[in-house]
Amino acid sequence: MSNVDVDLVVVGSGAGGMATAVTAAAQGLSTVILEKSRFWGGSTARSGGGVWIPGNDVLRAHLPPTDAEAARAYLHAIVGDDVDRRRIDTFIDRGGEALRHLTENSALDLEWVRGYSDYLPEESGGSSDGRSCEPRPFDARRLGDDLATLQPFYTRTPLNAVVQQSDYRWLSLGTRHWRGPVRAIRVGARTAVGRARGARLLGLGGALAGSLMVGVRQAGVPVHLETAAEELTMVAGRVTGVRCADGRSFSARRGVVLASGGFDHDATMRARHHRPPAGPELSLGADTNTGDGIRAGIAAGAATALMDDAWWAPSIPLPKGPWFALAERSLPRSIMINASGRRFMNESLPYVEATHRIFGGHHGRGEGPADNLPCWLVFDQTYRNRYMFAGKPARTALPAAWFDSGAVSSAGSIVELATSIGVPPDALTRTVETFNHFACVGHDPDFRRGESAYDRYYADPTNRPNPSLGELTTPPFYAARMVPADLGTKGGIVTDEHARALTADERPIPGLYAVGNASAALMGHTYAGPGATIGPALVFGYLAALHAARSSESVVS
């Protein structure tokens, strides 16, 4: 079969892969992207499209000049010793530069998501104003024929409209707040005007991926779809290229960048590192993310870390696939309970932290009496009358298929609901009575729900005295089963501040880089804020390309 010689081979076409390719091409490197799927965009295109990169030009227009230093303190505080401090410092020091370069060399056009707080804003350096940016709606006509092969979003957006992350907060509230109807009108108008003008508008992850692909195409970088990189080739300890499943080989004079995602859909790796029910069937990552790059890196001598963790997403197992319960857990008149019929956490916790609680305080292998599986989100009819739930507008009937599958149950009383889901009726009754008292006084002494700025972001500002607390009093009552789904896995190849793959004794493997979910997460076992997966992927993709272009040690003689 044929062999192609280039300077840099990029394996994967998500945010990290495309950032690498755009940067490498700008440095004069001949570059190629290999994508296993028949779609490009990876899990990025399936995501909300948020970008968390402190100190970038968009944020500088809104936040104090000292914000990047506060973000540095914040990351060090929440990540701790799970990640090399040099990687964190490099991310802060070079992040703004990286995003500026990608904006100048692609169609990337970001705006600040005002008020979308960091996930742990009360920690040292945390921000309640938020540091997340998201792409403005993107006209997919700019993609030409590439639009047909863009990885689809993980589900249909409400009313199939063009939405942004900043819209969900208000859309979920229905008519409870004046911003809800106003935002719905704005979203509808945006969608209608775009269609009237012949535009093919995309939001969220599709907008981000599409914007980056414009840069890839402008740079003349070939993208080979349905091309699975099977193994790395090496000469004298240096990675020199890849062999693909179809027999083709790609030689890389400057190196190989693994941007191929995590092991979301590899049953063997998931079983080894995570406990049921977590696994491929509950992953929202791209279905071709099966750990190929991680295994290839291990075979080349790379060390791994954080393999027991993931970008967890507490979800409702609906018949057509998991529904990521983002706003649903923060809205008043709802609680989460375990099989004992008791609350076990602040329901509004950010999703990675919330799933750690579901696993009994462990990352992905929690087992034993402290485990809180199975668990349910319990709410009442007033909740349904007021708020959107799993994409269904307030006051609309939930689909019968949801009840038939066991994903959702309902009953005329708390006792009957408890019986239907198999939890002790007296325990659930006491739990609801206690919570209702907390809601009346506006304070949750057990789990402090509603005290964090993040708790209040998806809550109901019209609800008094606490926007996140509300009594469960109106029958029928509902219980939605909650499962530990994920947006992708966190574990991967250990890298340094240049994104070079490292051995167990921390030596760089010449010619090998890893970014995105193919690398061990910069966030360690936590999650800084909206877009803290994609942000580091963009930054370290940029840095990997610069290192490959400028470092003499990466040149194959």
Side-chain angles (χ1 to χ4, degrees), residues 275 308-309 312 352-368 370-371 525:
R275 62 144 292 179
D308 62 341
D309 215 343
W312 299 113
V352 166
E353 314 297 339
T355 311
H356 289 167
R357 301 298 191 280
I358 290 173
F359 280 128
H362 303 278
H363 303 131
R365 291 211 63 85
E367 299 180 64
D371 197 331
H525 286 297

Side-chain angles (χ1 to χ4, degrees), residues 331-350:
L331 292 166
R333 308 181 80 96
S334 68
I335 57 174
M336 279 183 67
I337 61 163
N338 58 21
S340 298
R342 297 182 175 88
R343 293 176 69 213
F344 57 91
M345 69 171 184
N346 170 0
E347 293 86 350
S348 300
L349 282 173

Side-chain angles (χ1 to χ4, degrees), residues 184-337:
I185 291 170
R186 183 187 301 177
V187 168
R190 175 197 301 151
T191 304
V193 169
R195 289 172 181 166
R197 292 177 175 174
R200 298 284 299 274
L201 293 182
L202 297 175
L204 306 172
L208 183 69
S211 301
L212 290 169
M213 180 54 79
V214 169
V216 170
R217 291 310 193 190
Q218 287 176 345
V221 175
V223 180
H224 295 268
L225 300 179
E226 299 184 276
T227 304
E230 199 164 61
E231 64 177 328
L232 298 170
T233 57
M234 301 185 71
V235 174
R238 179 188 298 277
V239 172
T240 58
V242 301
R243 292 193 185 96
C244 299
D246 61 9
R248 285 185 293 170
S249 294
F250 290 81
S251 296
R253 289 180 288 271
R254 293 279 181 160
V256 173
V257 180
L258 298 173
S260 49
F263 55 96
D264 323 351
H265 292 277
D266 184 270
T268 301
M269 294 180 76
R270 292 303 297 260
R272 181 181 307 134
H273 299 291
H274 301 149
R275 62 144 292 179
E281 65 281 357
L282 293 181
S283 182
L284 302 175
D287 60 9
T288 47
N289 288 353
T290 55
D292 302 1
I294 297 172
R295 284 192 298 272
I298 292 171
T304 59
L306 304 174
M307 298 294 280
D308 62 341
D309 215 343
W311 304 101
W312 299 113
S315 298
I316 305 162
L318 300 179
K320 292 185 179 180
W323 175 273
F324 178 18
L326 186 58
E328 288 86 351
R329 294 180 292 110
S330 290
L331 292 166
R333 308 181 80 96
S334 68
I335 57 174
M336 279 183 67
I337 61 163

Side-chain angles (χ1 to χ4, degrees), residues 314-318 323 325 336 373-379 389 405-409 420-422 478-483:
S315 298
I316 305 162
L318 300 179
W323 175 273
M336 279 183 67
L373 285 164
C375 61
W376 295 265
L377 179 71
V378 175
F379 51 98
F389 178 77
S405 70
V408 180
S409 302
S420 70
I421 61 175
Y478 300 83
R481 185 178 289 273
M482 300 293 290
V483 294

Side-chain angles (χ1 to χ4, degrees), residues 144-168:
D145 292 341
D146 285 324
L147 176 58
T149 53
L150 169 62
Q151 177 78 239
F153 190 60
Y154 95 94
T155 187
R156 288 183 62 184
T157 55
L159 305 178
N160 209 27
V162 179
V163 298
Q164 296 178 269
Q165 284 193 108
S166 53
D167 297 323
Y168 271 111

